[in-house]
Amino acid sequence: MLRIVLIFCCVFIAGNVAAQRVISLNSSAGTGSWKLRSQDEVGRDSIKIFSENYPAENWIKAVVPGTVFTSYVEAGIEKDPNFGDNIYQVDKHKYNRNFWYRAVFNTPSFSNSENVWLNFEGINRKGELFLNGYRLGMLDGFMQRGHFNITRLLNRSGKNVLAVLVAYPPTPIPNYQSPTYISSDGWDWMPSVPGLLSGITDDVFLSVTGGVTIEDPWIRTRVPAADRGVVSISSGLRNGSEKDISGQCIINIQPGNIELHRNFKIAAGKEVEASFDTATYKQLVVKNPKLWWPNGYGAPHLYTCSIKYVANGAVLDSREIKFGIREYAYDTTGSVLHLYINGKRVFVKGGNWGMSEYLLRCRGEEYGLKVKLHREMNMNMIRNWIGSVTDEEFYDACDKYGIMVWDDFWLNSHPNLPEDVFAFNRNAVEKIRRLRNHASIAVWCGDNEGYPLPPLNGWLRENVNAYDKGDRWYQANSHSDALTGSGPWTNFQPDWYFTKYPGGFGGNSGWGFRTEIGTAVFTTFESFKKFMPQKDWWPRNDMWDKHFFGKSAANGGPDRYEKSINESYGTATGIEDFCRKAQLLNIETNKALYEGWQHHMWNDASGVMTWMSQSAYPSFVWQTYDYYYDLNGAYWGVKKACEPVHIQWNPADNAVNVVNTSPADARKVTAVAEVYNMDGRLQQKYSKSMRSDAPSNASTSFFNIPFTVDNLAYRKAVTASSSPGVFEPALCVADNNRGSRWSSAYHDDEWICIDLGAPTEIASVVLNWEAAYGKAYRLLVAVDTSSWQEVYSTTNGKGGLETIRFKPVTARYVKMRGVKRATQWGYSLYEMEVYRAKKVATGLSAVHFIKLRLTDDAGKLISDNFYWRGNKPNDYKDLNRLPKSDLEISSKLSRDNGRATISAVIGNLKKSVAFAIRVQAYRKSDGERILPAIMNSNYFTLLGGESKRITITFDEKLLPDGEYLLKAEPYNK
């Protein structure tokens, strides 16, 4: 018989639940036989499902935690949703409805003085819970926890039936159904998921305690000085019994063996607040603490706090919490957000996560892998976009690896409130209370690319103040208020990222702090084959768009991406060629993105996060490693750029800087730049070196590579009719810097003139236009400023890079005079170059290589870097003419504590260059790639006679027989 009553089933919240005994009811634990079926199909049998003998043979085996749709996929009822357009063919009506979950579990052993609690960590979107016919309550919102005392409802000698009616979130999703997974009905990087990710989406477990439970323990830390940390602890102690209980709260902190004791008498059914601070407990002032630092600034040290409540010699409840001693601070000096930790200003190098996995199949240790890959890329922050990751394991991994979290709530710039603002707010409070002990959380953010509508913005701000005491910054809008907007999300040429400014949408101008900017990122061919039907491999077609290389991902600029490959590297001849060339574009674009911000570090720039660093679905956009953990070119571009101490080249002005985001000064370091032709020969006249210091937390200029040898306009005097706006004056056209430009007033009749300093014979002018170019203009020359001669005119200017040749003429002044603009803006030039009839021989091949090295005072390598450069900007097609290389490979396999490592040496036997070598390990048994794996380097270039040591580390279970094949393939294979 169903009794819809609440009977001794108090619902209240417990954080960091790890009581004396915990029994998992997740499907993987085998303790609960979870099944599910739609509410429509159960129909009038809904009352019968609470019976232990109910026949559930026709129900589907459920994955818990997980989603309804995932359970059907795992049961083999639906085709692999990753492949082709399978997920687009699913009948969504089958899943966009309510479902019953049902599990049968045994009663755990417990004494008469103990209580048994049923715990739910999250249900999307709502869940109504029943145990043995009794209604326990409703969980409303995917962050709300349930903590139910089920002691009196258990069948002490038999089985128990747990049933949950899960209500799916109806459409439209944003922001009406928040709190929920806003992207569940599709975005420009993941498809709409049948069922809208409804299900029991987080852990379910039993806990056995005494009469008192520990509720939401909270550990706060401050760092008033480098040698001093201050800790305070508070926790609720709730007496769930029918009599008063007297006992002692005991706290132990390790390392340091800090022990605290305090007596509490708790009345029946009441809760008291147990607090411990330095006013009473001086040992909470920790001398010389092991501080928690973000990646690159120090080690992310963690402490363990054990909390127990003991009465009459028995432990009634206990918790164990990991925490870091750290203190965040912030300022918005110059209208730019700056973040500090432990008194140190931190330059943010991060990435956005849309989801951990689009069907919520990322669980447990897999978070450790994903976050570790971010550490390996030398990142120090992950943005949890729209709060789409809810699992505690994500935050645990960020704590462990020193990755700060920019944590969003569940709002996305839509001009509508959630249907239930009170449920939203309760979940927001839950989120803060559940997660605030994590050292990694650095920012709470209200809305993606907008402001939370009233009353939510005020509520969220007050929630952070009340439940986090302002220990972190509350940022209302993800791309405004001391931020520089969002995007663009498509690729640009490398020098653009150094240009003043790489503009975003919304926010302030400048580099500043950019929370998202990115580019399409195509996979390798091996990954491409795993999710793309062979009939759709080539040429590009609508099936590619199902994986977001088309109109569905217009923000990613797939057309621009494809055009960049074809124009820079040569038109692809097929899918393998396209994937191969795409990795070069991935490397140079993603490396330039971070290096551009780093070049201007603290000169406005304070941080940048790529959109995205994580792959939730097999796609061609916005990732650094792909869905299968193939570390593509984007990964290696980011990893190189974000080194803590890093040497880099500015393609706009040829400056070589050392960027030091480590905690220590790099003293007496030597920066070396060498330029090599395609035949591998060193071009000595372009090579430079310098010894100097590279201070901590700074970008230090060392020298410029002298590529400009025959441009007569270089660093000459320049005048112009106008130079309005934020850009530099006219001299920008003569600084050999494609990152600066002159821009005129918005009139047709505008001009710019270079003074060569003396009459000189000239025969060509190169105009490098920005988007605002001259449709009609004239080139004029003069020996003095009174007698002008026209050497060229056009009414059909094309923009871009225009080379104008004319009969040699002697002139001191060279003027571009505008006649008609091509746009509504003025005229805008990056460079205006002037040349003699016969150019000075540069000695450079059409494509050449820049090799940078940074060494310490003892000659030890600190950082190296490698670039390819074209005499014509961004034209690298001659790479396809490199002679074939010949590589020598030697390797061995070792095993240690469950990990296997392939150590290899790759050598270039020829004098010619082996360009962009990709190394990949395969199992001999099935020919599959050994993934996931951590590698130290890839897509590297070897000059003649050079070699490189490579390490590939992975779980030894991926290679049980120890038989592998290692391939090293250069671009010029």
Side-chain angles (χ1 to χ4, degrees), residues 10-31:
C10 302
V11 182
F12 43 87
I13 307 304
N16 302 289
V17 177
Q20 283 184 275
R21 276 192 295 141
V22 172
I23 301 99
S24 173
L25 293 184
N26 291 347
S27 57
S28 60
T31 49

Side-chain angles (χ1 to χ4, degrees), residues 121-123 140-145 179 202 387 389-391 395 410 426-428 430-432 434-435:
E121 294 288 275
I123 295 175
D140 188 357
F142 69 166
M143 287 297 294
Q144 187 175 9
R145 296 165 292 174
D202 213 328
V389 180
T390 58
D391 294 318
Y395 297 92
W410 317 282
R426 286 192 297 270
N427 278 257
E430 280 280 76
K431 175 171 178 144
I432 296 168
R434 286 175 68 165
L435 302 174

Side-chain angles (χ1 to χ4, degrees), residues 588-737:
E588 63 165 351
T589 303
N590 286 274
K591 184 161 66 168
L593 189 161
Y594 287 91
E595 290 183 336
W597 252 258
Q598 290 172 173
H599 185 81
H600 300 93
M601 180 178 174
W602 309 137
N603 179 20
D604 164 321
S606 67
V608 63
M609 290 191 276
T610 189
W611 179 264
M612 290 186 278
S613 57
Q614 146 69 10
S615 180
Y617 172 74
S619 77
F620 305 116
V621 289
W622 306 322
Q623 57 194 335
T624 55
Y625 50 84
D626 69 24
Y627 186 83
Y628 308 100
Y629 296 107
D630 192 328
L631 312 180
N632 60 50
Y635 177 95
W636 297 105
V638 174
K639 178 180 174 66
K640 177 54 64 178
C642 293
E643 294 172 319
V645 181
H646 175 66
I647 187 169
Q648 65 178 50
W649 167 65
N650 181 340
D653 65 3
N654 297 310
V656 172
N657 279 34
V658 175
V659 179
N660 184 356
T661 55
S662 79
D665 295 337
R667 299 192 177 278
K668 297 180 180 179
V669 294
T670 300
V672 177
E674 295 175 333
V675 178
Y676 292 85
N677 274 346
M678 289 177 60
D679 60 7
R681 294 183 181 179
L682 176 66
Q683 299 301 295
Q684 191 64 52
K685 67 180 178 180
Y686 298 103
S687 300
K688 295 194 72 172
S689 67
M690 179 179 173
R691 187 185 187 200
S692 185
D693 294 337
S696 172
N697 242 6
S699 178
T700 304
S701 178
F702 271 58
F703 52 77
N704 285 56
I705 301 176
F707 284 123
T708 300
V709 293
D710 59 345
N711 175 13
L712 298 173
Y714 180 54
R715 292 190 175 178
K716 295 300 195 299
V718 187
T719 54
S721 56
S722 59
S723 295
V726 299
F727 301 105
E728 299 296 331
L731 58 85
C732 287
V733 301
D735 62 0
N736 192 38
N737 182 351

Side-chain angles (χ1 to χ4, degrees), residues 139-159:
L139 298 183
D140 188 357
F142 69 166
M143 287 297 294
Q144 187 175 9
R145 296 165 292 174
H147 186 53
F148 304 90
N149 189 332
I150 60 172
T151 310
R152 295 186 180 182
L153 300 180
L154 290 168
N155 292 325
R156 294 294 296 261
S157 59
K159 295 183 180 297

Side-chain angles (χ1 to χ4, degrees), residues 756-824:
L756 300 178
T760 308
E761 186 180 73
I762 63 173
S764 66
V765 172
V766 176
L767 300 177
N768 190 352
W769 296 99
E770 195 255 349
Y773 65 95
K775 185 64 175 177
Y777 61 89
R778 304 165 65 204
L779 277 183
L780 305 171
V781 299
V783 175
D784 53 43
T785 56
S786 60
S787 301
W788 292 95
Q789 173 187 352
E790 182 182 285
V791 294
Y792 176 79
S793 67
T794 183
T795 58
N796 192 32
K798 301 298 185 184
L801 196 69
E802 290 191 296
T803 300
I804 298 115
R805 295 181 175 86
F806 44 85
K807 186 176 180 179
V809 61
T810 298
R812 173 176 174 176
Y813 301 97
V814 183
K815 179 187 288 188
M816 186 289 297
R817 181 148 208 140
V819 176
K820 185 174 180 59
R821 293 165 292 153
T823 70
Q824 62 180 316

